[in-house]
Amino acid sequence: MADEIGPLLRELREKAGLSQLKLEERSGISATHISRIETGKSRNVRRDTVNRLLDAMEPNTEDRGRIAALLTGIQKEAPLGTVAEEPSPPEIRRPFSRPANSRLSEAAADLATETGRRLRREEEQRLVLDPYPLPVRWRSVSTGITDLDANIRRLPPGAVAEPLDLGGDQRSIGDLYRSIGSGRLVVLGQAGSGKSVLAVRLVLDLLQDGARTGADPVPVIFGIGSWDPTVHTLRGWLTGRLLRDYPYLARGSSTAGTLAAALVEDGHVLPVLDGFDEMAEGLRRRALDELDRTSLPLVLTSRPDEYEKAVRPTRDGAVTPLKWAAAVELTGITPADLLDYMPRATRSAPPGDGPWNRALTGRTDPDVRLQRVLGTPLMVFLARTVYGEGRAGDPEELTDGSRFPTEDSLRRHLLAAFVPAVYRPRPSDHRPLTSEEHARGGRHREWTPERAHRWFGYLARHLDQAGRERQDIAWWQISGSLRTSTRALAVAAVSALCVALPVWLANALIFVFLHETQFVAAMTQGAALGLGAGITCGALYAGMTTFGGSVFAPSRTRLRLRGGLGAGRSPARTFATRFGAMLLAGFAMGIGVSCTSTLQRVLYLDWPLTSPEVLRVLATDGLLLGLIFGTAFGTVFGLAAMLEAPLDVSSAATPDSLLDANRRAVRSQLSVIAPALALTIAFGGGLVTDLLDPVLGPLLWLPQDAVVIGTVGGVGGGLSYALCFTAWGQWMVFARLLLPLRGQLPWNTAAFLKDAYHRGVLRRTGAVYQFRHTHLQHHLGRSPHRP
């Protein structure tokens, strides 16, 4: 009778329309154990196990009676009236499946919704579904570089693990991952074999309706190539990436500093780590060691050779694989797949006819060579772009052995022809713009193939700095491609103009209403104050970028004038931190302005430079202006920091929206900070002068001094901060002005990047762009540079 219960349970499961994995979710019984019962491998079955399965399948009364009769017969056959059962694999209980508080549950739900929305759009943009998903298959990897099956299954001591069979294709990637007890999977594949696309499909499968419960983690793709495990822990780096791509997670949490940190710490995020092979070679083993120190479920993608070198770090061949991780390796696309796919993808002819059929069905060496080259999704995409949908060229030329004698020459040809193919002028470029094209930034006729190639080459070289390869084209990091000295000089020039122009304006108003100024004196005073501010800001910028980092990160906050202080932070601590930094910056600004003002008096009023009186005036002005600017800057920026609140949920879905959010944030800051600084300096200057007059006097703070210096500090200081010390300001000064002047980027860089994304040259990952593939990035980066 025990042999009959398995088939009956399978019959009831199929009648209920449930898969083994779905039944596992409902009953809590592992899919592996359900399979053993249905196939008769589990010879003895407990009554409570069967009852849990029946409750999950909800059979009718008649079917329940049939099961009950079988169980009664089994009990009569068991010795001593017991129902024995052989040891079975433990039920799959993910380490991250735990109850969550309502706030974290809501944040995880928002994260799941936003992640699914982005990746579905990305899958459409990459033409993954056009005309149908290109077949991507995989096979199990040899146990030589993976952990033991018992560890992968997370079996108890003494249990015997059956060999894992992990074969399949992209249609079953979600089921494959759910069948792994440890929740750890390594996906290996050659360059361009479809690892990143498969990662996207896995995330979407895990997020599909009905497949994810509230206790399951949210799968999120992270480009692991930018992780430095010697600097950041895994959880810290994951938190930073979440804050970059989902700024609304900067809100405070009761269990951790931010919602992003709480989601990572409490196991509500499943990291899908894409591009392990893109890490620096010396960091890969360190990265695996860091992953081994955690128990987080994860998915890791890599090229096979790079991964094998990382798990075999010593010459004696000792293997230290990633703990608990199963591994699969992607296989190539078959010639039969190509014969069916390429004609449909290029709309050239029905399968079995046309140029692609002639190019792929030969038996000569060039024909077979082409089949091998087109064995990866990347090369298939390049070929369909270069030769598809009415574009010039016949794919049969790819079988010309004299022109393409090697596989590498074929790959180089497809890479080189890609950008000219997507930027080739089309008849549609001459018609009026549609509303969608207006939203994308319009059609720019100056984006010729030659110029686009040059600009992409500059961006590719920008990503390869100081021996560390990067992939993220972040709008706030583009300025880092310039030398620090060049950026510091540009900051000095912009700051000088920001300060000099308000001084000239203030003196013009004084002349109009009070008739108490002279043109030459006003011009020299503005030039002197601008020079002092410019030198100081340039020096501060050089110091900050040298010792604090190469670029300024985009703000994840906005000013909130209503609704109280920013949530999740200590107001006193926030104020003190910002006050201290801006006090020093304002004091340095005061000293710099006093020095150039004294120099202006020496040149314009013939003051003797070495006179003790001049030196006393210099010291007094430096201390006075330093205290006035320092206290004003510290107070105003400290209060502004207390009013900052995280961005909205939809503020950073794309690089453009993050740029727009930062533009709005800087403008709102400037509208508040500039007048606040002007008033604080104007009235605070009189207070500081009165306090220091008994010690350093006699000191004067005339009305025109309050107007001029207040205007300089408010308008000039606010503009200098906005343009020189924020991510949006850096973008405006460098990416929108300096780099286009040098011919290294187009004038509208944001529109160019967005257009390149829609053309398929770039892909979008959260708040940054990336080249379609690292092969394309390397090819463009190695192209000759023409300044």
Side-chain angles (χ1 to χ4, degrees):
M1 292 185 183
D3 295 335
E4 300 177 13
I5 195 167
L8 180 55
L9 286 173
R10 181 172 63 250
E11 176 188 337
L12 296 180
R13 176 177 59 80
E14 294 173 350
K15 186 177 180 180
L18 299 174
S19 65
Q20 291 179 349
L21 292 172
K22 200 66 178 179
L23 184 57
E24 171 195 320
E25 294 178 4
R26 292 190 177 187
S27 66
I29 307 297
S30 71
T32 303
H33 191 41
I34 294 173
S35 176
R36 291 172 60 83
I37 294 175
E38 292 182 352
T39 56
K41 293 181 180 179
S42 182
R43 302 298 301 171
N44 300 293
V45 185
R46 290 199 194 100
R47 177 183 290 273
D48 63 334
T49 300
V50 175
N51 288 335
R52 288 169 65 182
L53 293 174
L54 290 176
D55 291 339
M57 293 185 290
E58 300 179 353
N60 55 37
T61 304
E62 180 182 353
D63 291 334
R64 278 187 178 272
R66 293 165 60 193
I67 289 288
L70 287 176
L71 289 176
T72 301
I74 292 174
Q75 281 189 312
K76 291 179 179 179
E77 294 175 2
L80 302 178
T82 62
V83 181
E85 181 181 7
E86 64 179 14
S88 62
E91 299 169 8
I92 298 178
R93 298 291 188 185
R94 299 277 192 252
F96 45 72
S97 295
R98 64 187 70 178
N101 62 52
S102 58
R103 189 170 190 184
L104 283 184
S105 297
E106 182 180 353
D110 289 342
L111 179 61
T113 301
E114 180 64 16
T115 299
R117 185 182 67 82
R118 295 185 191 184
L119 291 184
R120 281 189 292 271
R121 183 181 301 172
E122 193 66 21
E123 195 174 51
E124 294 173 357
Q125 178 62 29
R126 297 188 193 184
L127 303 179
V128 173
L129 307 177
D130 180 20
Y132 59 86
L134 189 63
V136 177
R137 306 176 183 87
W138 57 79
R139 58 173 177 265
S140 299
V141 174
S142 168
T143 56
I145 57 173
T146 60
D147 204 348
L148 301 176
D149 288 343
N151 292 338
I152 296 173
R153 292 180 182 273
R154 308 293 289 129
L155 297 180
V160 178
E162 298 179 359
L164 289 168
D165 182 11
L166 302 178
D169 57 35
Q170 79 275 7
R171 294 170 297 181
S172 61
I173 182 62
D175 293 337
L176 169 71
Y177 178 76
R178 295 186 188 96
S179 69
I180 299 173
S182 64
R184 289 192 163 199
L185 173 66
V186 176
V187 179
L188 303 177
Q190 299 297 333
S193 59
K195 299 184 295 295
S196 298
V197 173
L198 189 65
V200 171
R201 178 39 45 195
L202 170 62
V203 172
L204 291 176
D205 281 358
L206 296 179
L207 290 177
Q208 67 182 354
D209 295 340
R212 180 182 175 273
T213 65
D216 289 336
V218 180
V220 180
I221 297 177
F222 299 89
I224 195 176
S226 61
W227 178 35
D228 186 347
T230 64
V231 177
H232 303 287
T233 64
L234 176 64
R235 287 185 170 88
W237 178 76
L238 293 176
T239 300
R241 279 297 182 264
L242 285 177
L243 290 174
R244 184 196 72 177
D245 295 337
Y246 306 88
Y248 64 91
L249 294 178
R251 291 185 175 89
S253 168
S254 59
T255 58
T258 62
L259 283 175
L263 289 172
V264 173
E265 289 294 336
D266 284 7
H268 293 288
V269 174
L270 169 62
V272 180
L273 306 174
D274 187 27
F276 176 75
D277 52 282
E278 292 156 9
M279 299 184 71
E281 184 175 359
L283 297 177
R284 292 173 193 149
R285 183 62 247 174
R286 299 287 295 271
L288 290 181
D289 291 339
E290 179 66 22
L291 295 178
D292 279 341
R293 293 190 185 98
T294 72
S295 59
L296 288 175
L298 55 89
V299 178
L300 184 72
T301 73
S302 175
R303 282 182 286 186
D305 293 343
E306 283 75 3
Y307 181 76
E308 185 167 0
K309 289 179 182 177
V311 300
R312 298 181 189 271
T314 58
R315 294 183 178 180
D316 59 5
V319 180
T320 53
L322 179 62
K323 181 174 67 176
W324 304 340
V328 297
E329 183 173 5
L330 304 185
T331 59
I333 299 171
T334 65
D337 293 334
L338 292 173
L339 283 173
D340 187 56
Y341 183 85
M342 293 304 294
R344 291 180 59 180
T346 58
R347 277 78 174 173
S348 57
D353 189 15
W356 280 109
N357 185 71
R358 293 191 295 271
L360 294 169
T361 55
R363 291 292 180 264
T364 63
D365 287 343
D367 299 328
V368 176
R369 187 182 305 127
L370 176 61
Q371 294 174 6
R372 288 197 298 264
V373 168
L374 297 182
T376 63
L378 171 64
M379 290 299 152
V380 170
F381 170 77
L382 295 178
R384 67 175 287 185
T385 302
V386 173
Y387 294 98
E389 299 189 15
R391 292 187 171 91
D394 187 339
E396 284 191 81
E397 69 181 14
L398 298 176
T399 60
D400 186 348
S402 60
R403 184 178 175 187
F404 306 111
T406 63
E407 294 181 19
D408 191 52
S409 63
L410 275 172
R411 295 189 182 95
R412 288 198 305 268
H413 165 70
L414 293 175
L415 288 167
F418 176 64
V419 171
V422 298
Y423 280 90
R424 183 182 297 120
R426 303 172 186 174
S428 59
D429 293 340
H430 300 287
R431 58 175 171 76
L433 293 177
T434 64
S435 58
E436 183 180 359
E437 288 167 338
H438 271 297
R440 292 182 182 179
R443 294 191 307 270
H444 294 258
R445 295 183 178 87
E446 69 273 16
W447 295 348
T448 62
E450 295 77 14
R451 290 179 178 178
H453 192 277
R454 181 174 74 247
W455 295 330
F456 284 130
Y458 176 79
L459 291 172
R461 286 186 290 273
H462 153 64
L463 297 178
D464 189 8
Q465 293 182 344
R468 285 288 307 279
E469 181 184 288
R470 296 184 306 177
Q471 279 192 283
D472 297 343
I473 304 175
W475 57 262
W476 63 91
Q477 292 177 339
I478 291 178
S479 61
S481 60
L482 295 167
R483 290 181 296 181
T484 302
S485 58
T486 302
R487 284 180 280 149
L489 288 174
V491 165
V494 172
S495 300
L497 286 176
C498 290
V499 172
L501 290 175
V503 173
W504 293 330
L505 177 61
N507 279 317
L509 294 176
I510 292 173
F511 175 77
V512 171
F513 293 103
L514 301 179
H515 304 286
E516 296 183 4
T517 189
Q518 297 179 0
F519 176 77
V520 177
M523 294 297 293
T524 56
Q525 183 185 32
L529 293 177
L531 179 63
I535 293 174
T536 304
C537 287
L540 287 173
Y541 180 88
M544 292 174 65
T545 54
T546 300
F547 299 104
S550 59
V551 294
F552 294 91
S555 173
R556 297 189 296 269
T557 60
R558 54 187 171 87
L559 283 186
R560 185 174 61 182
L561 301 181
R562 297 180 181 179
L565 303 178
R569 299 175 298 165
S570 168
R573 186 181 216 174
T574 300
F575 176 84
T577 302
R578 190 70 61 87
F579 178 86
M582 298 310 297
L583 174 66
L584 295 177
F587 195 84
M589 178 71 72
I591 293 176
V593 168
S594 67
C595 291
T596 53
S597 297
T598 302
L599 180 62
Q600 181 253 352
R601 293 166 183 167
V602 168
L603 298 176
Y604 181 72
L605 300 177
D606 294 329
W607 284 15
L609 183 59
T610 57
S611 169
E613 182 65 18
V614 174
L615 297 178
R616 187 189 72 80
V617 171
L618 173 62
T620 302
D621 283 354
L623 178 61
L624 183 65
L625 291 178
L627 289 175
I628 292 173
F629 286 169
T631 54
F633 278 41
T635 301
V636 171
F637 280 95
L639 292 175
M642 295 171 63
L643 297 173
E644 291 175 349
L647 294 173
D648 297 329
V649 173
S650 60
S651 296
T654 65
D656 298 316
S657 58
L658 182 59
L659 178 60
D660 290 338
N662 272 259
R663 181 188 297 113
R664 293 191 298 269
V666 171
R667 287 177 178 174
S668 63
Q669 287 178 334
L670 186 59
S671 65
V672 173
I673 288 173
L677 276 178
L679 293 174
T680 305
I681 291 172
F683 292 101
L687 179 61
V688 173
T689 301
D690 292 340
L691 291 175
L692 295 181
D693 185 74
V695 180
L696 303 176
L699 302 176
L700 296 177
W701 187 257
L702 301 176
Q704 54 265 40
D705 294 329
V707 173
V708 173
I709 300 177
T711 303
V712 171
V715 180
L719 285 174
S720 296
Y721 163 77
L723 291 176
C724 301
F725 296 95
T726 65
W728 176 78
Q730 297 277 290
W731 164 262
M732 293 298 295
V733 172
F734 298 115
R736 293 300 307 273
L737 181 62
L738 185 57
L739 288 172
L741 281 174
R742 296 167 59 139
Q744 293 166 321
L745 286 178
W747 287 105
N748 195 341
T749 304
F752 173 71
L753 294 177
K754 187 175 183 179
D755 179 77
Y757 165 71
H758 286 289
R759 291 176 186 261
V761 181
L762 302 179
R763 63 187 181 189
R764 198 160 57 195
T765 304
V768 300
Y769 291 109
Q770 294 176 346
F771 281 100
R772 178 84 186 206
H773 196 273
T774 53
H775 269 16
L776 180 61
Q777 176 183 325
H778 295 330
H779 170 78
L780 294 170
R782 289 192 297 264
S783 299
H785 174 52
R786 298 181 180 87

